[in-house]
Amino acid sequence: MSYETIDYAVADRVATLTLNRPDRLNAYTRKMMEEMIDAFDRIDADDDVRAVVVTGAGRAFCAGADLEGGTSTFDLAKAEDSPVRADGSLDYSKQSARDSGGLLTLRIHRCLKPVIAAINGPAVGIGATMTLPMDIRLASENARIGFVFARRGIVPEGASSFFLPRLVGMAQALEWCFSGRVFSAAEAKDGGLVKTVLPADELLPAAYALAREIAENTSPVSVALIRQMMWRGAGMTDPMQAHRIDSRGILSRGRSRDVAEGVTAFLEKRPPDFPDRVSADMPDYFPWWEEPDYH
């Protein structure tokens, strides 16, 4: 698939997904959603990709939904298979009723590779919420972040009511969303949203260094399992639920070629060369959850 709104490249086992509408500050469209979902499908299917860096072209990361359509931007009355009935009532069960930001963030949530956000500039609305299911967020000093929904008369999307409080705590999540204000990268770091704030010219090198550290030293199957164990564990209500999954992982992976290689490499004091692949060697208990349907 050739892309119109993003760039996609792979080098040194790291995929770079660049939002690429710089003339519109990389504002989010339905087309961008479709292309990003396709890119994440490619990422999961490609065993040569071990980690992902997401960034923006030009001076912005993503300025939020493209509002060029004016007040009709969020009105789906004229959409194909519209969820708005003839009498004006809403059919919430239709697939066309689903939030496009949520379709993207749910796909990122299911990704089997680590995802690093390199927030190079303004990240507002969906530009902020799309980073929440990513695993590590680095920000440029030029970054400005805003959960601005209340200032537009709508509500947070992208499943951010799930992700944001788990990342930064309820009080901080509510303050940012209640106020809808745009805040600095330094405040994002203080609030626990981003790991590090860097000068603009150091942002991508830092993101790639982190991605390469993962790619060069870890088992891809282990990392895929760890990612889902942590994210799926966010909804657990008792540690026994985690113990069940941990035990399955230790038992099945303990017999794997990767463990033999990892232990041997450690004893021989050399870098490991893990043979197992995400495409073919995930354990038989994976996935251990059922994806809920939208209705």
Side-chain angles (χ1 to χ4, degrees):
M1 181 177 181
S2 59
Y3 298 128
E4 298 175 13
T5 68
I6 65 173
D7 283 341
Y8 180 80
V10 178
D12 299 324
R13 296 187 289 182
V14 177
T16 301
L17 195 164
T18 305
L19 312 184
N20 191 26
R21 301 183 70 219
D23 57 321
R24 299 289 298 169
L25 299 181
N26 304 321
Y28 186 80
T29 63
R30 186 87 183 182
K31 183 70 170 178
M32 181 180 284
M33 177 206 76
E34 293 169 353
E35 293 184 349
M36 291 184 74
I37 288 174
D38 183 83
F40 276 100
D41 289 344
R42 290 174 64 178
I43 286 161
D44 272 351
D46 187 351
D47 285 326
D48 288 334
V49 172
R50 296 290 317 283
V52 187
V53 172
V54 182
T55 194
R59 65 183 184 89
F61 180 78
C62 173
D66 193 326
L67 301 180
E68 190 173 23
T71 58
S72 65
T73 300
F74 301 105
D75 186 353
L76 298 180
K78 296 181 181 179
E80 184 177 350
D81 191 31
S82 174
V84 183
R85 300 185 182 99
D87 64 0
S89 63
L90 303 177
D91 184 351
Y92 295 107
S93 67
K94 280 201 169 189
Q95 289 296 308
S96 59
R98 297 182 66 178
D99 154 45
S100 66
L103 293 172
L104 173 61
T105 59
L106 289 173
R107 180 62 189 88
I108 298 171
H109 178 56
R110 294 194 303 270
C111 185
L112 299 177
K113 315 294 174 72
V115 185
I116 300 166
I119 306 172
N120 56 299
V124 177
I126 180 60
T129 58
M130 75 165 65
T131 72
L132 301 181
M134 300 180 193
D135 304 300
I136 302 163
R137 284 159 296 282
L138 310 180
S140 161
E141 293 170 341
N142 299 331
R144 297 292 183 269
I145 298 168
F147 301 96
V148 298
F149 308 98
R151 296 195 179 201
R152 306 292 180 267
I154 56 172
V155 297
E157 37 64 279
S160 51
S161 58
F162 174 90
F163 292 113
L164 187 58
R166 285 167 170 79
L167 293 172
V168 304
M170 185 63 74
Q172 182 63 87
L174 287 173
E175 191 273 316
W176 280 339
C177 291
F178 283 165
S179 70
R181 63 187 176 82
V182 176
F183 50 92
S184 68
E187 182 175 340
K189 182 178 185 299
D190 290 344
L193 183 60
V194 304
K195 177 181 184 291
T196 308
V197 178
L198 298 155
D201 61 349
E202 297 178 17
L203 177 64
L204 278 175
Y208 287 131
L210 183 54
R212 285 193 299 270
E213 181 179 12
I214 296 167
E216 294 170 2
N217 296 291
T218 65
S219 155
V221 172
S222 292
V223 168
L225 290 169
I226 290 166
R227 187 177 197 275
Q228 292 302 320
M229 288 166 72
M230 295 290 182
W231 278 115
R232 304 285 169 178
M236 293 178 181
T237 58
D238 191 279
M240 178 55 77
Q241 295 170 278
H243 177 59
R244 293 184 189 120
I245 303 306
D246 297 350
S247 298
R248 286 161 173 75
I250 294 295
L251 179 60
S252 62
R253 294 301 293 155
R255 304 176 68 247
S256 71
R257 297 177 299 168
D258 273 2
V259 167
E261 169 61 12
V263 172
T264 301
F266 173 77
L267 294 175
E268 294 178 355
K269 296 181 173 56
R270 61 171 175 79
D273 183 14
F274 292 108
D276 289 346
R277 296 293 174 260
V278 169
S279 62
D281 300 307
M282 297 296 283
D284 58 3
Y285 71 90
F286 178 88
W288 58 88
W289 67 90
E290 292 185 7
E291 292 287 352
D293 293 330
Y294 178 83
H295 54 79

